[in-house]
Amino acid sequence: GRLAALGQMAAGLAHEIRNPLASIELLAGLVAREAGERGALKDFAEEISNEVRTIAATVETCLAWVRPEPARRAPLDLDALTEEALRRALTRAQFSGEIARELDPRASGSGDFAMLRSALENLLVNAVQAMSAHPRSSPHSLTLRASALAGAAGGFSLIVEDTGPGVSAE
């Protein structure tokens, strides 16, 4: 019924958004190549490409909400999960600060790798963007920490810490 219609509408809208985004990203790449060593112009073109990828990821996230797939639980490789989320986040938001990983080898659990990677990636992008908006004299830092949960069932906690401004009480 209505949910199926919403899913079809979202899929059509996503298609209409993806096409111009691909063109914008291609044009930004051409501008970056033409800019050569003209730093500011090349930086602007790279920023356009980063923002296009952010919009594309948002479109994909919206599609996932209207056409949800069931979670596929499987044992997780936390090293691979954090590294892939970090790699993907850093293609969407540039970061020149320090990155630390504190992954307890005893931390383990299961879950949907793709869904958790996407959530972690978005959290990391938000952290990097918040830090970029608030420059400081010493380098910003980003820490990924995985800890084993106590108890027979196992499990883990995954924490992202950054040196950004934090979230307001509101």
Side-chain angles (χ1 to χ4, degrees):
R2 294 177 72 185
L3 190 58
L6 181 62
Q8 284 182 325
M9 184 185 80
L13 192 58
H15 177 73
E16 294 300 321
I17 292 171
R18 282 183 187 132
N19 287 339
L21 282 181
S23 296
I24 293 167
E25 188 161 18
L26 176 67
L27 292 170
L30 293 172
V31 169
R33 195 166 65 214
E34 287 293 319
E37 293 308 311
R38 286 179 283 170
L41 190 56
K42 187 172 184 175
D43 289 346
F44 291 150
E46 288 174 359
E47 185 62 28
I48 290 168
S49 289
N50 287 338
E51 294 301 326
V52 164
R53 285 191 289 274
T54 299
I55 294 169
T58 301
V59 169
E60 294 304 318
T61 300
C62 290
L63 271 179
W65 280 105
V66 296
R67 292 189 315 206
E69 291 187 24
R72 297 185 181 113
R73 290 187 75 87
L76 291 170
D77 177 340
L78 292 179
D79 287 328
L81 176 71
T82 55
E83 286 305 312
E84 192 170 328
L86 184 60
R87 181 187 56 76
R88 291 169 64 115
L90 294 178
T91 63
R92 291 174 48 197
Q94 293 187 341
F95 181 64
S96 59
E98 299 169 2
I99 299 173
R101 297 157 187 83
E102 299 174 8
L103 307 178
D104 183 340
R106 297 169 298 168
S108 65
S110 64
D112 186 303
F113 185 92
M115 287 182 178
L116 289 170
R117 184 206 58 225
S118 179
L120 181 57
E121 175 187 343
N122 288 329
L123 186 61
L124 291 165
V125 167
N126 290 345
V128 168
Q129 288 174 341
M131 287 186 284
S132 296
H134 291 83
R136 50 189 247 164
S137 56
S138 60
H140 276 291
S141 66
L142 181 64
T143 303
L144 283 153
R145 182 176 297 115
S147 305
L149 294 179
F156 64 93
S157 70
L158 189 56
I159 297 171
V160 174
E161 289 182 3
D162 64 68
T163 53
V167 179
S168 69
E170 296 85 40

Coordinates of all heavy atoms in Angstrom, one line a residue, residues 91-162:
T91 N 37.2 9.6 3.3 CA 37.0 10.0 1.9 C 35.9 11.0 1.8 O 35.8 11.7 0.9 CB 36.7 8.8 1.0 OG1 35.4 8.2 1.4 CG2 37.7 7.7 1.0
R92 N 35.0 11.0 2.9 CA 33.9 12.0 2.9 C 34.3 13.3 3.6 O 33.7 14.3 3.3 CB 32.7 11.4 3.5 CG 32.1 10.3 2.7 CD 30.9 9.6 3.5 NE 30.0 10.4 4.1 CZ 29.1 10.1 5.0 NH1 29.1 8.8 5.4 NH2 28.2 10.9 5.5
A93 N 35.2 13.2 4.5 CA 35.5 14.4 5.3 C 37.0 14.4 5.6 O 37.5 13.4 6.2 CB 34.7 14.5 6.6
Q94 N 37.8 15.4 5.2 CA 39.2 15.4 5.4 C 39.6 15.7 6.8 O 38.9 16.5 7.4 CB 39.9 16.4 4.4 CG 39.7 16.0 3.0 CD 40.5 16.9 2.0 OE1 40.9 18.0 2.4 NE2 40.7 16.4 0.8
F95 N 40.6 15.0 7.3 CA 41.1 15.2 8.7 C 42.6 15.1 8.7 O 43.1 14.1 8.2 CB 40.4 14.1 9.6 CG 40.8 14.2 11.0 CD1 40.4 15.3 11.8 CD2 41.5 13.2 11.6 CE1 40.7 15.4 13.1 CE2 41.8 13.3 13.0 CZ 41.5 14.4 13.7
S96 N 43.2 16.0 9.3 CA 44.7 16.0 9.4 C 45.2 15.8 10.8 O 46.4 16.0 11.0 CB 45.2 17.3 8.8 OG 44.7 18.4 9.5
G97 N 44.3 15.6 11.8 CA 44.7 15.4 13.1 C 45.2 14.0 13.4 O 45.5 13.2 12.5
E98 N 45.3 13.7 14.7 CA 45.8 12.4 15.1 C 44.7 11.4 15.3 O 43.6 11.8 15.7 CB 46.5 12.6 16.5 CG 47.7 13.5 16.4 CD 48.2 13.9 17.8 OE1 47.7 13.4 18.8 OE2 49.2 14.7 17.9
I99 N 44.9 10.2 14.8 CA 43.9 9.1 14.9 C 44.5 8.0 15.8 O 45.6 7.5 15.5 CB 43.5 8.6 13.6 CG1 42.9 9.7 12.7 CG2 42.6 7.4 13.7 CD1 42.7 9.3 11.3
A100 N 43.8 7.6 16.8 CA 44.2 6.5 17.7 C 43.2 5.4 17.7 O 42.0 5.7 17.6 CB 44.4 7.0 19.1
R101 N 43.7 4.2 17.8 CA 42.8 3.0 17.9 C 43.1 2.3 19.1 O 44.3 1.9 19.3 CB 43.0 2.1 16.6 CG 42.6 2.8 15.3 CD 43.4 2.1 14.2 NE 43.2 2.7 12.9 CZ 43.9 3.7 12.5 NH1 44.8 4.3 13.2 NH2 43.7 4.2 11.3
E102 N 42.2 2.0 19.9 CA 42.4 1.3 21.2 C 41.3 0.1 21.2 O 40.3 0.3 21.7 CB 42.2 2.2 22.4 CG 43.2 3.3 22.4 CD 42.9 4.3 23.6 OE1 42.0 4.0 24.4 OE2 43.6 5.3 23.6
L103 N 41.7 -0.9 20.5 CA 40.8 -2.1 20.3 C 41.2 -3.2 21.2 O 42.2 -3.8 20.9 CB 40.7 -2.5 18.8 CG 40.4 -1.3 17.8 CD1 40.4 -1.9 16.4 CD2 39.1 -0.7 18.1
D104 N 40.4 -3.5 22.2 CA 40.7 -4.6 23.1 C 40.6 -5.9 22.3 O 39.5 -6.2 21.7 CB 39.7 -4.6 24.2 CG 40.0 -5.7 25.3 OD1 40.6 -6.7 25.0 OD2 39.5 -5.5 26.4
P105 N 41.6 -6.7 22.2 CA 41.5 -8.0 21.4 C 40.4 -8.9 22.0 O 40.0 -9.8 21.3 CB 42.9 -8.6 21.5 CG 43.6 -7.9 22.6 CD 42.9 -6.6 22.8
R106 N 40.0 -8.8 23.2 CA 39.0 -9.6 23.8 C 37.6 -9.2 23.4 O 36.6 -9.9 23.6 CB 39.1 -9.6 25.3 CG 40.4 -10.2 25.9 CD 40.6 -10.0 27.3 NE 40.6 -8.5 27.5 CZ 40.6 -7.9 28.7 NH1 40.4 -8.6 29.8 NH2 40.6 -6.6 28.8
A107 N 37.5 -8.0 22.8 CA 36.2 -7.4 22.4 C 35.7 -8.2 21.2 O 36.4 -8.4 20.2 CB 36.3 -6.0 22.1
S108 N 34.5 -8.8 21.3 CA 33.9 -9.5 20.2 C 32.4 -9.5 20.3 O 31.8 -9.1 21.3 CB 34.4 -11.0 20.2 OG 33.9 -11.6 21.4
G109 N 31.8 -9.8 19.2 CA 30.3 -9.8 19.2 C 29.8 -10.1 17.8 O 30.6 -10.4 16.9
S110 N 28.6 -10.0 17.6 CA 28.0 -10.2 16.3 C 27.0 -9.1 16.0 O 26.6 -8.4 16.8 CB 27.3 -11.6 16.2 OG 26.2 -11.6 17.1
G111 N 26.8 -9.0 14.7 CA 25.9 -7.9 14.2 C 25.9 -7.9 12.7 O 26.6 -8.7 12.1
D112 N 25.2 -6.9 12.2 CA 25.2 -6.7 10.7 C 26.4 -5.7 10.4 O 26.3 -4.5 10.7 CB 23.9 -6.1 10.3 CG 23.7 -6.0 8.8 OD1 24.6 -5.3 8.2 OD2 22.7 -6.5 8.2
F113 N 27.4 -6.3 9.7 CA 28.6 -5.5 9.4 C 28.3 -4.3 8.7 O 28.8 -3.2 9.0 CB 29.6 -6.4 8.6 CG 30.9 -5.8 8.4 CD1 32.0 -6.0 9.3 CD2 31.1 -5.0 7.3 CE1 33.2 -5.4 9.1 CE2 32.4 -4.4 7.1 CZ 33.4 -4.6 8.0
A114 N 27.5 -4.4 7.6 CA 27.2 -3.2 6.7 C 26.5 -2.1 7.5 O 26.8 -0.9 7.4 CB 26.5 -3.6 5.5
M115 N 25.5 -2.5 8.3 CA 24.7 -1.5 9.0 C 25.6 -0.8 10.1 O 25.5 0.4 10.2 CB 23.5 -2.1 9.6 CG 22.4 -2.5 8.7 SD 21.0 -3.2 9.5 CE 19.9 -3.5 8.2
L116 N 26.4 -1.6 10.8 CA 27.2 -1.0 11.8 C 28.3 -0.2 11.2 O 28.6 0.9 11.7 CB 27.8 -2.1 12.7 CG 26.8 -2.8 13.6 CD1 27.4 -4.1 14.2 CD2 26.4 -1.9 14.7
R117 N 28.9 -0.6 10.1 CA 29.9 0.2 9.4 C 29.3 1.5 9.0 O 29.9 2.6 9.2 CB 30.4 -0.5 8.2 CG 31.6 0.2 7.5 CD 31.7 -0.1 6.0 NE 30.5 0.2 5.3 CZ 29.9 -0.6 4.4 NH1 30.5 -1.8 4.1 NH2 28.8 -0.3 3.8
S118 N 28.1 1.5 8.4 CA 27.5 2.8 8.0 C 27.2 3.7 9.2 O 27.5 4.9 9.1 CB 26.1 2.4 7.3 OG 25.5 3.6 6.9
A119 N 26.7 3.2 10.3 CA 26.4 4.0 11.5 C 27.7 4.6 12.0 O 27.8 5.8 12.3 CB 25.7 3.2 12.5
L120 N 28.8 3.7 12.1 CA 30.1 4.2 12.6 C 30.7 5.2 11.6 O 31.2 6.2 12.1 CB 31.0 3.0 12.8 CG 32.4 3.3 13.4 CD1 32.3 4.1 14.7 CD2 33.2 2.0 13.5
E121 N 30.6 5.0 10.4 CA 31.1 5.9 9.4 C 30.4 7.3 9.5 O 31.1 8.3 9.5 CB 30.8 5.4 8.0 CG 31.2 6.3 6.8 CD 30.7 5.8 5.5 OE1 30.4 4.6 5.3 OE2 30.7 6.6 4.5
N122 N 29.1 7.3 9.7 CA 28.4 8.6 9.8 C 28.8 9.3 11.1 O 29.0 10.5 11.2 CB 26.9 8.4 9.8 CG 26.4 8.1 8.4 OD1 27.0 8.5 7.4 ND2 25.4 7.3 8.3
L123 N 29.0 8.5 12.2 CA 29.4 9.1 13.5 C 30.8 9.7 13.3 O 31.1 10.8 13.8 CB 29.5 8.0 14.5 CG 29.8 8.4 16.0 CD1 28.7 9.4 16.5 CD2 29.8 7.2 16.9
L124 N 31.7 9.0 12.6 CA 33.1 9.5 12.4 C 33.1 10.8 11.5 O 33.8 11.8 11.8 CB 34.0 8.5 11.7 CG 34.3 7.3 12.7 CD1 34.9 6.1 11.8 CD2 35.3 7.7 13.7
V125 N 32.2 10.8 10.5 CA 32.1 12.0 9.6 C 31.6 13.2 10.4 O 32.2 14.3 10.3 CB 31.2 11.7 8.4 CG1 30.8 13.0 7.7 CG2 31.9 10.8 7.4
N126 N 30.6 13.0 11.3 CA 30.1 14.0 12.1 C 31.2 14.6 13.0 O 31.4 15.8 13.2 CB 28.9 13.6 13.0 CG 27.7 13.3 12.1 OD1 27.6 13.8 11.0 ND2 26.7 12.6 12.7
A127 N 32.0 13.7 13.6 CA 33.1 14.1 14.5 C 34.1 14.9 13.8 O 34.6 16.0 14.2 CB 33.7 12.8 15.1
V128 N 34.5 14.4 12.6 CA 35.6 15.1 11.8 C 35.1 16.5 11.4 O 35.8 17.5 11.5 CB 36.0 14.3 10.6 CG1 36.8 15.1 9.6 CG2 36.8 13.1 11.1
Q129 N 33.8 16.6 10.9 CA 33.2 17.9 10.5 C 33.1 18.8 11.7 O 33.4 20.0 11.5 CB 31.9 17.7 9.8 CG 32.0 17.0 8.5 CD 30.7 16.6 7.8 OE1 29.7 16.5 8.5 NE2 30.7 16.5 6.5
A130 N 32.8 18.3 12.8 CA 32.7 19.2 14.0 C 34.0 19.7 14.4 O 34.2 20.9 14.7 CB 32.1 18.4 15.2
M131 N 35.1 18.9 14.3 CA 36.4 19.4 14.6 C 36.9 20.3 13.6 O 37.5 21.3 14.0 CB 37.4 18.2 14.8 CG 37.2 17.3 16.0 SD 38.4 16.0 16.2 CE 37.9 14.8 15.0
S132 N 36.6 20.1 12.3 CA 37.1 21.0 11.3 C 36.5 22.4 11.4 O 37.1 23.4 11.1 CB 36.7 20.4 9.9 OG 37.4 19.2 9.7
A133 N 35.3 22.4 11.9 CA 34.6 23.7 12.1 C 35.1 24.5 13.3 O 34.8 25.7 13.5 CB 33.1 23.5 12.3
H134 N 35.9 23.9 14.1 CA 36.5 24.5 15.3 C 38.0 24.3 15.4 O 38.5 23.4 16.1 CB 35.8 23.9 16.6 CG 34.4 24.3 16.7 ND1 33.4 23.7 16.1 CD2 33.8 25.4 17.4 CE1 32.2 24.3 16.3 NE2 32.5 25.3 17.1
P135 N 38.8 25.1 14.6 CA 40.2 25.0 14.6 C 40.8 25.3 16.0 O 40.2 26.0 16.8 CB 40.7 26.0 13.6 CG 39.5 26.7 13.1 CD 38.3 26.1 13.8
R136 N 42.0 24.7 16.3 CA 42.6 25.0 17.5 C 44.1 25.0 17.3 O 44.6 24.6 16.3 CB 42.2 24.0 18.6 CG 42.3 22.6 18.2 CD 41.7 21.6 19.2 NE 42.7 20.8 19.7 CZ 42.6 20.1 20.8 NH1 41.5 20.2 21.5 NH2 43.6 19.3 21.3
S137 N 44.9 25.4 18.3 CA 46.3 25.5 18.2 C 47.0 24.1 18.1 O 47.9 23.9 17.3 CB 47.0 26.3 19.3 OG 46.6 25.8 20.5
S138 N 46.6 23.2 18.9 CA 47.2 21.8 18.8 C 46.3 21.0 17.9 O 45.1 21.3 17.7 CB 47.3 21.2 20.2 OG 46.0 21.1 20.8
P139 N 46.9 19.9 17.3 CA 46.1 19.1 16.4 C 44.9 18.5 17.1 O 45.0 18.1 18.3 CB 47.1 18.0 15.9 CG 48.4 18.5 16.3 CD 48.3 19.4 17.5
H140 N 43.8 18.4 16.3 CA 42.6 17.6 16.8 C 43.0 16.1 16.9 O 43.9 15.7 16.2 CB 41.5 17.8 15.9 CG 40.7 19.1 16.2 ND1 39.9 19.2 17.3 CD2 40.5 20.2 15.4 CE1 39.4 20.4 17.2 NE2 39.7 21.0 16.1
S141 N 42.3 15.4 17.7 CA 42.5 13.9 17.7 C 41.1 13.2 17.7 O 40.1 13.7 18.2 CB 43.3 13.5 19.0 OG 42.6 13.8 20.1
L142 N 41.2 12.0 17.2 CA 40.1 11.2 17.0 C 40.5 9.8 17.6 O 41.5 9.3 17.2 CB 39.7 11.0 15.6 CG 38.5 10.2 15.1 CD1 37.2 10.8 15.7 CD2 38.4 10.2 13.6
T143 N 39.7 9.2 18.5 CA 40.0 7.9 19.1 C 38.8 7.0 18.9 O 37.7 7.3 19.2 CB 40.3 8.1 20.6 OG1 41.4 9.0 20.8 CG2 40.7 6.7 21.2
L144 N 39.2 5.8 18.4 CA 38.2 4.7 18.3 C 38.6 3.7 19.4 O 39.7 3.2 19.4 CB 38.3 4.0 16.9 CG 37.7 4.8 15.8 CD1 38.4 4.4 14.5 CD2 36.2 4.4 15.7
R145 N 37.6 3.4 20.3 CA 37.9 2.5 21.4 C 36.9 1.4 21.4 O 35.7 1.6 21.5 CB 37.9 3.3 22.7 CG 38.2 2.4 23.9 CD 38.3 3.3 25.2 NE 39.4 4.3 25.1 CZ 39.2 5.6 25.1 NH1 38.0 6.1 25.1 NH2 40.2 6.4 25.0
A146 N 37.3 0.1 21.4 CA 36.4 -1.0 21.5 C 36.8 -1.8 22.8 O 38.0 -2.0 23.0 CB 36.5 -2.0 20.3
S147 N 35.8 -2.1 23.6 CA 36.0 -2.7 24.9 C 35.1 -3.9 25.0 O 34.0 -3.9 24.5 CB 35.8 -1.8 26.1 OG 36.5 -0.6 25.9
A148 N 35.6 -5.0 25.6 CA 34.8 -6.2 25.9 C 33.8 -5.8 27.0 O 34.2 -5.2 28.0 CB 35.7 -7.4 26.3
L149 N 32.6 -6.3 26.9 CA 31.6 -6.2 27.9 C 31.7 -7.3 28.9 O 31.9 -8.5 28.4 CB 30.2 -6.1 27.4 CG 29.8 -4.9 26.5 CD1 28.4 -5.0 26.0 CD2 30.0 -3.6 27.3
A150 N 31.5 -7.1 30.1 CA 31.6 -8.2 31.1 C 30.3 -9.0 31.0 O 29.3 -8.5 30.6 CB 31.7 -7.6 32.5
G151 N 30.5 -10.3 31.3 CA 29.3 -11.2 31.3 C 29.5 -12.3 30.4 O 30.4 -12.3 29.5
A152 N 28.8 -13.4 30.6 CA 28.9 -14.6 29.8 C 28.5 -14.4 28.4 O 29.0 -15.1 27.5 CB 28.1 -15.7 30.4
A153 N 27.6 -13.5 28.1 CA 27.1 -13.3 26.7 C 28.2 -12.6 25.8 O 28.0 -12.6 24.6 CB 25.8 -12.5 26.7
G154 N 29.2 -12.0 26.4 CA 30.2 -11.3 25.7 C 29.6 -10.0 25.2 O 28.9 -9.4 25.9
G155 N 30.0 -9.6 24.0 CA 29.6 -8.3 23.5 C 30.7 -7.3 23.6 O 31.8 -7.6 24.1
F156 N 30.4 -6.1 23.1 CA 31.5 -5.1 23.1 C 30.8 -3.7 23.1 O 29.6 -3.5 22.8 CB 32.4 -5.2 21.8 CG 31.6 -4.9 20.6 CD1 31.6 -3.7 20.0 CD2 30.9 -6.0 19.9 CE1 30.9 -3.5 18.8 CE2 30.2 -5.8 18.7 CZ 30.2 -4.5 18.2
S157 N 31.6 -2.7 23.5 CA 31.2 -1.3 23.4 C 32.2 -0.7 22.4 O 33.4 -1.0 22.4 CB 31.2 -0.6 24.7 OG 32.5 -0.4 25.2
L158 N 31.7 0.2 21.6 CA 32.5 0.9 20.6 C 32.3 2.4 20.9 O 31.2 2.9 20.8 CB 32.1 0.5 19.2 CG 33.0 1.0 18.1 CD1 34.4 0.5 18.3 CD2 32.4 0.4 16.8
I159 N 33.4 3.1 21.2 CA 33.3 4.5 21.5 C 34.1 5.3 20.6 O 35.3 4.9 20.2 CB 33.8 4.7 23.0 CG1 32.9 4.0 24.0 CG2 33.9 6.2 23.3 CD1 33.5 3.9 25.4
V160 N 33.6 6.5 20.1 CA 34.3 7.4 19.3 C 34.5 8.7 20.1 O 33.5 9.2 20.6 CB 33.5 7.8 18.0 CG1 34.3 8.9 17.2 CG2 33.4 6.5 17.1
E161 N 35.7 9.1 20.4 CA 36.0 10.3 21.1 C 36.7 11.2 20.2 O 37.6 10.8 19.4 CB 37.0 10.0 22.3 CG 36.3 9.2 23.4 CD 37.3 9.0 24.6 OE1 38.4 9.5 24.6 OE2 36.8 8.4 25.5
D162 N 36.4 12.5 20.3 CA 37.1 13.5 19.4 C 37.3 14.8 20.3 O 36.8 14.9 21.4 CB 36.2 13.9 18.2 CG 34.9 14.5 18.5 OD1 34.9 15.6 19.0 OD2 33.9 13.8 18.3

